[in-house]
Amino acid sequence: MSNLDSLSMTLRAFSVALLSGSLWTGFAYADKDSGRDVEAIANTFFAALEHEDAELALSLLAPEAMLHAPYNPNGDASDAGIRSFPASLYVKGALATYDNLVFVNRHYSITDDGRTVWIEAQGRLRVAVSGRPYENRYVFKIALAEGKIEAITEYTNVATLAQQGVIAT
């Protein structure tokens, strides 16, 4: 990535965060590897999803970033039941499945080392195919390394997914 591309991406991230009201200006725990603010990266990631900016959301992910979903439709609570796949597929799938993604009432908890943030939020989304609203509660665990998201763990209620016609795979 050239310096111009990097500057362009940084300016876009700042603009999205500013427009969404998610620009965080308080005391920051820093990611020790990069000095970047873990909460600001999480906010920018969610703002990118909410503004349907796949390029920005994907730019925040480490090349091998994974999404882990411990709750699954078949009720398997063992480690074998954890669904894991590239986080880039999660971003692309979320933006294809929903035409309106909003996560409200976000509450953040940052680990002592400043490299992991837990986010509790209410999802207010709309299913693109049917236009039906879909609401669910989420807890996300976002882990950083070298200023990039290396892992996302998404906890959600799969019964609510099924009741609202959303199929978790």
Side-chain angles (χ1 to χ4, degrees), residues 70-84:
Y71 299 136
N72 60 64
N74 67 13
D76 185 351
S78 72
D79 286 346
I82 297 174
R83 297 173 294 131
S84 294

Side-chain angles (χ1 to χ4, degrees), residues 1-11:
M1 177 182 291
S2 74
N3 288 341
L4 185 58
D5 290 338
S6 180
L7 177 61
S8 175
M9 197 64 65
T10 300
L11 289 173

Side-chain angles (χ1 to χ4, degrees), residues 18 29 33 65 144 152:
L18 185 62
Y29 287 87
D33 291 334
L144 298 182
I152 302 169

Side-chain angles (χ1 to χ4, degrees), residues 14-159:
F14 177 78
S15 297
V16 167
L18 185 62
L19 290 172
S20 69
S22 65
L23 189 62
W24 188 74
T25 58
F27 177 79
Y29 287 87
D31 173 4
K32 293 187 184 332
D33 291 334
S34 69
R36 294 182 67 185
D37 175 6
V38 64
E39 187 171 351
I41 292 170
N43 268 328
T44 302
F45 180 75
F46 283 110
L49 291 177
E50 291 174 350
H51 288 86
E52 300 181 20
D53 189 340
E55 185 178 358
L56 177 57
L58 293 170
S59 77
L60 298 169
L61 301 175
E64 303 298 320
M66 295 296 289
L67 182 286
H68 307 288
Y71 299 136
N72 60 64
N74 67 13
D76 185 351
S78 72
D79 286 346
I82 297 174
R83 297 173 294 131
S84 294
F85 45 89
S88 60
L89 292 179
Y90 172 79
V91 168
K92 293 172 186 174
L95 294 176
T97 303
Y98 306 104
D99 61 6
N100 183 44
L101 291 92
V102 179
F103 294 95
V104 299
N105 300 324
R106 292 186 216 158
H107 300 281
Y108 295 84
S109 295
I110 301 170
T111 59
D112 289 342
D113 68 5
R115 296 178 58 192
T116 303
V117 60
W118 291 82
I119 302 116
E120 179 183 357
Q122 292 174 297
R124 295 185 181 156
L125 303 88
R126 186 173 53 234
V127 179
V129 173
S130 67
R132 292 177 59 192
Y134 160 63
E135 294 189 8
N136 208 336
R137 291 189 176 271
Y138 292 88
V139 173
F140 295 96
K141 175 186 172 191
I142 297 180
L144 298 182
E146 299 180 12
K148 296 281 189 176
I149 297 170
E150 69 175 350
I152 302 169
T153 304
E154 177 190 85
Y155 299 88
T156 193
N157 186 337
V158 292

